[in-house]
Amino acid sequence: MPDREQGSALTDGPPRALLIVAVSIAVAAAAAVLVIAALRSKPHQERALVIPAVPAPQADSPDCATLMATLPQRLGDYQRTTPAAPVPPATAAWRSGDTEPILLRCGVGQPVDFVVGGPIQIVNTVQWFRVTEQGTGRSTWFVVDRPVNVALTLPQGTGPTPIQEVSDVVAAKLPVVPIRPGPPR
């Protein structure tokens, strides 16, 4: 009788090869479901960058066109990005992940605080006037010694690299002119 029990124990249930095939099919099906789910899921999308328009009476000038055509794709850790439409003329933006963007506007008006005796900082031969936005930590630097005003808005903690790199492009592409501050207040 022991032989009979051994034989019946060996033949109970499906054959081993069939079990291996069934498990393989189940694993392949699970893998296929995961691959399809990964392909159908939307990649992380950067939120659209909307740049509000500001008065820029010289945005269509040849000087702005020259500058805009030669701006770099990177400013330090920031990569050039395409803003959402409508994009104001003579405007560029750079982003680094989800941080606030760096904005450049060419042909803007002169800042009202730029008056005789106001502080100017020179970065790589370009004269800049700084305006700090209260409560945001952002600052906008205005090129004041070229035929057009250029505004570069930097988020807090950006470091010196972006203004240095923009200064190099401005110095190479736009001629120097005397500064034109407003009268003292």
Side-chain angles (χ1 to χ4, degrees):
M1 211 167 342
D3 287 339
R4 197 172 191 186
E5 286 179 18
Q6 275 183 335
S8 97
L10 293 175
T11 59
D12 283 350
R16 177 178 266 170
L18 184 61
L19 282 175
I20 291 173
V21 169
V23 168
S24 298
I25 290 172
V27 169
V33 167
L34 291 174
V35 167
I36 290 170
L39 292 175
R40 287 192 169 209
S41 69
K42 293 182 181 178
H44 170 70
Q45 292 191 0
E46 209 173 70
R47 44 190 168 101
L49 175 60
V50 177
I51 301 175
V54 298
Q58 293 181 304
D60 294 325
S61 70
D63 287 322
C64 283
T66 298
L67 180 66
M68 299 307 293
T70 57
L71 291 172
Q73 289 300 309
R74 295 192 68 81
L75 290 178
D77 294 334
Y78 288 73
Q79 179 70 36
R80 185 104 180 241
T81 187
T82 303
V87 179
T91 302
W94 293 262
R95 265 199 168 149
S96 178
D98 273 346
T99 62
E100 285 190 57
I102 293 174
L103 300 178
L104 182 139
R105 293 178 165 105
C106 186
V108 296
Q110 183 167 290
V112 295
D113 293 338
F114 181 53
V115 295
V116 171
I120 293 176
Q121 295 190 18
I122 299 174
V123 179
N124 298 1
T125 73
V126 176
Q127 295 184 52
W128 295 86
F129 177 76
R130 180 181 180 180
V131 176
T132 302
E133 292 181 35
Q134 298 301 325
T136 66
R138 287 188 302 254
S139 57
T140 300
W141 294 79
F142 291 86
V143 172
V144 294
D145 66 341
R146 305 299 155 143
V148 292
N149 291 322
V150 178
L152 182 65
T153 302
L154 303 172
Q156 187 172 18
T158 304
T161 304
I163 197 167
Q164 291 169 338
E165 291 179 355
V166 170
S167 291
D168 290 342
V169 175
V170 167
K173 298 300 177 183
L174 300 178
V176 177
V177 299
I179 62 171
R180 304 165 305 278
R185 293 192 219 170

